[in-house]
Amino acid sequence: MRKKYSRAIGLATVLSLAFSLTACGGNNAVNNGNGTKTEETGAANAGQKIKIKIYAQHFDDDTSKPFDYAVEELKKEMPEVEIVLDEAVQDGYQKLKTFAATGNMPDIYETDWTTLQTFAKSKNVELLDDHAATADFKAKLNTGNESRLIAPDGHIYAFPYTGIEFQLLFYNKEIFAKAGITEPIKTIDQLVEASQKIKAAGFTPLSIFAKEKWITSALYSGFATREDTKGFGPLETKGMSELTEPYLTAAKQIKTLEEAGLFDINATNTNYDQASSQFYQGKSAMFINGQWEIFSSTEKLGDKVDWMYWPAKDEATYENTKMYMNGAGAPGGFAVSPSSKNVDKAVEVASFIAQKYAEYKYTQLGSPIVATKVDKPMTGEVPAMMKRIATEVLPNVKGYANGLSSVQIKNALDDNTQNILVKGFSVEQFTDNMNRVLNKENK
């Protein structure tokens, strides 16, 4: 999940259905009576293709082109398979949870670690550990990406196509120059000062699609990782019942920036389309997204756009921690529903699609952040910002933030980091809400 909503769904309906997910979801595969699962072929008649339905992101060049490439490659490798695409909605996987709650899961779906944990409990995700396609995938995994494939519980639930991704602050160099801002911004105080200069020059300082809660958590993680290079990981330490100083400092920094006018007053009602449009049209000076944003921003803004490291409380902290990246290697990617009529084939297809998706991102988009090895050369033009990633960041990374496994702490962070962008929601409220959850979950 990361870019835009393509349609809305009723939240109340979704929540109601999600509560019944455990009861309603499950495995519809045929049981032969001795406990061994067998498969309906889905191709009852000779010559009939096996239809595999995939719920996947497919709404811009960064998502549609790799997927389409993978499907075309699949036609050569598995001509007996017909892919039926169901375009994913950018809604925090709520629609996918509705599918699970109503027993209407696609054969393959794209999702994240938080959702996979829920689906593992409700038996809506196929355990991939012992499938032959998984062994093949593991053999091709790029070193350092183990955490993207193997979950903290030791199981494999999905095939990733990216390596460990991270969030960046993008900025419009032309607006910075008009506002008289000296690059790079290294401290929170400098970011406050820049906000005031940008507003005085007639621009929105920073656009953020805070209607999606994950991006506000990413924002908070950016500042928290400057204070504790392990990011959110320590928040689920047993016995940790209250936010420690690094997380209190990060919360205070966001509030300071909110009060300084860094964010638009309607930030929490702004979706990806609206926020990115502001940035692409030169109405806002900065924008937050993952490094995958490089391709879209380069297309829209050319050499006007660049990215910066996350600011810190002072320049010494900035220099010491800037190579600890705001991103975690949590499991995720293409998972398979155990209710598929063709589970084994779906697993093969999911593995293949993930590998070819990675192949396109590497060869055509020049992204070195892919999960599996690619034996083909880069042929596409690599954006300047991605070249910075490849030559300046990746060889010098000191570490990545640790991911969260606790769904409850993750949900609390999503809710409260979104709220803290709202005028009148205090740091004390943020702290009290988080401490209540930490005290309960970390006993």
Side-chain angles (χ1 to χ4, degrees):
M1 169 204 63
R2 55 195 193 205
K3 290 191 176 176
K4 65 182 180 180
Y5 285 85
S6 59
R7 69 195 73 151
I9 58 176
L11 180 59
T13 301
V14 167
L15 290 175
S16 174
L17 290 169
F19 278 121
S20 61
L21 181 141
T22 300
C24 297
N27 191 341
N28 295 328
V30 176
N31 192 295
N32 63 11
N34 61 8
T36 303
K37 186 170 57 183
T38 61
E39 295 184 0
E40 299 174 1
T41 64
N45 301 318
Q48 185 178 351
K49 288 197 172 186
I50 301 171
K51 289 188 177 181
I52 299 290
K53 187 175 184 179
I54 301 182
Y55 184 75
Q57 298 180 56
H58 192 274
F59 49 78
D60 62 4
D61 287 353
D62 189 36
T63 54
S64 64
K65 288 187 175 180
F67 183 85
D68 293 344
Y69 170 80
V71 171
E72 288 302 310
E73 291 296 306
L74 184 75
K75 290 177 182 176
K76 303 172 190 173
E77 184 72 16
M78 302 181 203
E80 74 279 16
V81 173
E82 178 182 345
I83 296 297
V84 179
L85 172 64
D86 186 355
E87 294 187 12
V89 180
Q90 295 298 296
D91 61 353
Y93 302 111
Q94 292 300 326
K95 183 176 180 181
L96 187 59
K97 292 172 184 173
T98 303
F99 287 153
T102 56
N104 191 33
M105 289 293 281
D107 299 283
I108 299 171
Y109 55 89
E110 190 179 354
T111 195
D112 65 358
W113 175 223
T114 300
T115 308
L116 286 171
Q117 290 177 83
T118 303
F119 283 4
K121 292 178 181 175
S122 60
K123 301 187 185 307
N124 277 293
V125 59
E126 173 73 9
L127 204 59
L128 303 175
D129 300 4
D130 298 326
H131 283 272
T134 304
D136 174 68
F137 193 93
K138 288 176 72 174
K140 296 175 181 174
L141 191 69
N142 277 323
T143 302
N145 288 318
E146 290 76 10
S147 61
R148 293 284 289 129
L149 179 67
I150 303 171
D153 63 7
H155 293 302
I156 296 175
Y157 297 100
F159 296 114
Y161 51 84
T162 69
I164 300 176
E165 299 186 297
F166 40 85
Q167 287 74 47
L168 297 170
L169 276 174
F170 295 87
Y171 69 102
N172 185 317
K173 292 184 285 185
E174 190 172 86
I175 294 178
F176 268 37
K178 287 179 180 177
I181 298 169
T182 303
E183 307 168 31
I185 293 173
K186 296 183 177 181
T187 70
I188 299 299
D189 287 344
Q190 290 169 359
L191 189 52
V192 168
E193 183 181 356
S195 300
Q196 295 165 344
K197 288 182 177 179
I198 292 167
K199 287 176 66 178
F203 301 96
T204 298
L206 183 148
S207 56
I208 179 171
F209 44 106
K211 193 170 183 177
E212 294 187 36
K213 296 178 181 180
W214 79 267
I215 196 66
T216 60
S217 280
L219 171 77
Y220 180 58
S221 175
F223 297 122
T225 303
R226 289 288 163 267
E227 298 297 317
D228 186 323
T229 56
K230 294 181 180 177
F232 289 158
L235 290 176
E236 55 187 5
T237 302
K238 287 298 179 187
M240 182 176 179
S241 59
E242 295 183 348
L243 290 177
T244 53
E245 191 56 39
Y247 306 100
L248 293 173
T249 298
K252 291 174 184 175
Q253 289 171 341
I254 292 181
K255 200 63 198 173
T256 298
L257 293 167
E258 184 272 318
E259 292 171 348
L262 179 69
F263 312 105
D264 187 89
I265 194 169
N266 293 315
T268 55
N269 291 317
T270 302
N271 62 25
Y272 173 81
D273 283 339
Q274 294 162 330
S276 62
S277 177
Q278 278 195 325
F279 187 59
Y280 297 157
Q281 293 178 23
K283 294 179 180 177
S284 65
M286 290 175 274
F287 184 55
I288 297 174
N289 206 349
Q291 97 288 323
W292 55 81
E293 172 64 36
I294 284 174
F295 306 105
S296 295
S297 281
T298 298
E299 179 186 355
K300 301 295 191 305
L301 293 169
D303 58 7
K304 293 180 184 176
V305 63
D306 205 346
W307 58 264
M308 69 177 85
Y309 295 98
W310 289 83
K313 60 187 174 190
D314 52 48
E315 291 201 21
T317 303
Y318 171 88
E319 295 296 344
N320 288 335
T321 62
K322 71 178 185 180
M323 286 301 176
Y324 289 91
M325 307 310 293
N326 178 21
F334 290 105
V336 173
S337 169
S339 64
S340 169
K341 294 179 180 178
N342 304 282
V343 170
D344 286 342
K345 181 58 71 176
V347 172
E348 287 183 46
V349 170
S351 172
F352 186 88
I353 290 287
Q355 291 180 54
K356 290 300 175 182
Y357 204 111
E359 182 175 290
Y360 184 91
K361 290 181 78 70
Y362 180 85
T363 60
Q364 302 299 313
L365 301 179
S367 174
I369 307 171
V370 292
T372 47
K373 297 179 178 68
V374 178
D375 58 4
K376 296 180 180 178
M378 289 184 184
T379 56
E381 183 177 351
V382 182
M385 289 192 290
M386 185 55 76
K387 289 179 181 175
R388 276 190 68 197
I389 296 288
T391 60
E392 180 181 316
V393 177
L394 296 182
N396 299 301
V397 166
K398 293 181 178 178
Y400 293 89
N402 293 352
L404 280 173
S405 290
S406 168
V407 174
Q408 289 73 23
I409 296 175
K410 173 68 166 55
N411 289 341
L413 277 172
D414 284 351
D415 290 340
N416 287 285
T417 55
Q418 184 187 51
N419 287 338
I420 205 168
L421 298 191
V422 177
K423 188 177 182 60
F425 188 88
S426 68
V427 173
E428 288 72 25
Q429 287 174 289
F430 178 91
T431 304
D432 290 345
N433 292 345
M434 287 305 306
N435 286 350
R436 191 158 43 247
V437 175
L438 294 178
N439 186 48
K440 180 180 178 182
E441 297 302 318
N442 291 335
K443 283 183 179 177

